[in-house]
Amino acid sequence: DLLRRLDFNDQVLDLVDTQVRPLIKMLTGEEANVLQMMGVRFKVQSLLNQTVPPAKASIFAIGMTKLFVLEIGPLLTALLLCGRIGGSYAGKVGTLHATSQTKLLQTLGISPFLWTFWPSVLAALLAAPLLTLMGTCIALGLAGWVGPTYYGIGTTTQFWTDM
């Protein structure tokens, strides 16, 4: 939505009026007439219409990629893993205590902490990068589909090229 509201065509055309008119006078020695200025304004407007939409699409693709790869993807994965592993670990430790399995592990000379903690750590170390990669790929795929489809920002092919 921000890229839709970003419109600077009027500012560029005002700049053309204030800067090109003196330039034409300096180069030709005559004051620029209305027809010349209208031609320059039409040319600049057509250039803006050709270059601004692809630039907005590139900004969208780069921004979404950076947002999901560096910020949102790892953060959401970490939050989901913390909740999932924390709940699982608490349930496992509670069950061990309720059924007196911690006393059995201590009798066998095994630390109950290491018995329950290390498998969770190893699983998290294995799952975190895979879940981050999978979630980021899904998010970028949806961004490549939603941007062009619903917001008219470039094309899907341009999104993947710019990304």
Side-chain angles (χ1 to χ4, degrees):
D1 191 38
L2 179 64
L3 289 176
R4 268 194 188 161
R5 289 185 280 151
L6 182 65
D7 186 24
F8 49 86
N9 289 355
D10 293 334
Q11 290 88 354
V12 171
L13 292 175
D14 290 342
L15 186 66
V16 166
D17 284 340
T18 59
Q19 299 298 320
V20 173
R21 189 179 300 274
L23 186 63
I24 290 174
K25 185 176 182 180
M26 183 179 74
L27 292 175
T28 62
E30 300 175 357
E31 191 67 37
N33 61 28
V34 175
L35 190 59
Q36 289 173 330
M37 288 308 295
M38 216 167 28
V40 170
R41 283 180 63 91
F42 283 138
K43 183 63 178 175
V44 169
Q45 183 69 36
S46 68
L47 287 173
L48 286 173
N49 289 339
Q50 291 174 0
T51 57
V52 170
K56 285 182 179 181
S58 295
I59 289 170
F60 173 75
I62 292 168
M64 292 302 285
T65 303
K66 188 171 183 179
L67 174 74
F68 281 110
V69 171
L70 297 178
E71 303 286 336
I72 300 294
L75 177 69
L76 287 177
T77 303
L79 288 173
L80 291 171
L81 277 176
C82 286
R84 176 81 175 145
I85 292 172
S88 172
Y89 186 71
K92 193 174 196 178
V93 170
T95 303
L96 285 175
H97 281 294
T99 57
S100 299
Q101 291 179 18
T102 55
K103 291 178 185 175
L104 175 66
L105 288 172
Q106 287 173 345
T107 304
L108 294 173
I110 299 171
S111 169
F113 174 75
L114 295 178
W115 183 262
T116 57
F117 183 69
W118 283 113
S120 297
V121 169
L122 292 175
L125 288 176
L126 180 66
L130 295 175
L131 288 173
T132 301
L133 179 67
M134 189 170 54
T136 301
C137 289
I138 290 170
L140 290 176
L142 288 173
W145 175 66
V146 167
T149 304
Y150 290 107
Y151 294 106
I153 302 173
T155 62
T156 304
T157 307
Q158 184 181 10
F159 178 83
W160 291 109
T161 304
D162 290 340
M163 190 181 74

